Amino acid sequence: METPHYVAARVQRALAEDDRTTELGIRVDVRGEEVYLRGQVSCDERRHQIENVAREAAPGLRVHNEITLVEVREPGEEEHL
Amino acid sequence: MRELRIAAVADIHLGEDLRGHYRKKIEGIERRADVLLVGGDLTRHGTIPEAQVVAEELSGLPIPVVAVLGNHDYHSDCDQEIIDLLRDAGIVVLDDEGTVVPIDGVRLGVAGGKGFGGGFAGKCASEFGEPETKAFVRHTKEIAERWRRALKELDADHKIVLSHYSPVKDTLMGEPPEIYPFLGSYMLAEAADAEGADLFIHGHAHAGTEKGVTPGGIRVRNVALPVIKHAYTVYCLNGDHC
Ligand SMILES: [Fe+2]
Ligand SMILES: [Fe+2]
């Protein structure tokens, strides 16, 4: 079995460099056969693309997509400096 | 002097899949703020079609919009075209320079640009060794030098630095420390501290935190969208009173 450390590095690079994702802020953790993806993106389509790219970069492993959607709220309270 | 209401956001990472979404969230911004500052990573891949979406979402607002690019906006080597396109749409784009925005007789000076990395005092890269390392550090040094000059030349009542990269570690908390050198540089803070400013706005650190301060006491705010979780945040710069 490939060292989880290198699998994580490969998945993370794929997420950053693949044109479908170009996501630099996704945490990738590999434990045995399981790959965990964590972070925040702004729409569901992007979340799914990240999962697809991660699956391709880690064939045979189980990918857990724990990425959450950033909900852009209406502006809140202002800060006085 | 009247108080200034500064709306700020960064890392909107627009693309065709998000067309129209951001615009909806900033409708009515003129009732809450006098100016909108956008701290880079406007797009995902730095392509022209994405930049067109940015222009559509940010143009034609009743308040002035001042922006800088981020590392994502450089990815397709179209950065100059993107700058031209946004400027044609009426957005002020700062590329290591300053501008003065008049707001009801108060002059708001904004200086900055993309910025770059290198790390923070005591744990930073230095201009030594291989040409690649030297080029990396020199890029930040030259940027900081241009910002210092731009800040000095600004004739304004209030000054703000607008950047993509961070000037301090404070606002990176939540990011893995191993990547701090890629998230900012103390040289950006040093430039601001040397000339003085009321506020330092940046983005880039999606997992960071909002609030920090430079060694010289300038308030730093990381307004990356995933950090502030609102369409923008409003900072009021004190006039005579608030
Ligand atoms: Fe970003
Ligand atoms: Fe960035």
Side-chain angles (χ1 to χ4, degrees), chain A residues 71-78, chain B residues 7-8 22-33 36 225 228-234:
Chain A
E71 194 213 333
V72 179
R73 286 171 286 186
E74 298 291 327
E77 218 182 302
E78 56 211 23
Chain B
Y22 188 66
R23 181 60 177 224
K24 255 188 286 180
K25 303 280 182 183
I26 57 174
E27 290 299 344
I29 189 171
E30 68 277 9
R31 291 192 294 275
R32 295 168 179 272
L36 172 62
L225 201 58
I228 61 174
K229 294 186 170 67
H230 289 90
Y232 52 86
T233 301
V234 178

Side-chain angles (χ1 to χ4, degrees), chain B residues 53 66 80 82 123 137 142-143 153 168 172 176 178 214 221 226:
Chain B
V53 175
V66 182
Q80 282 309 313
I82 291 176
K123 300 174 183 67
V137 178
E142 287 168 358
I143 287 170
E153 285 163 12
V168 294
L172 303 183
E178 294 90 332
T214 67
R221 295 293 180 265

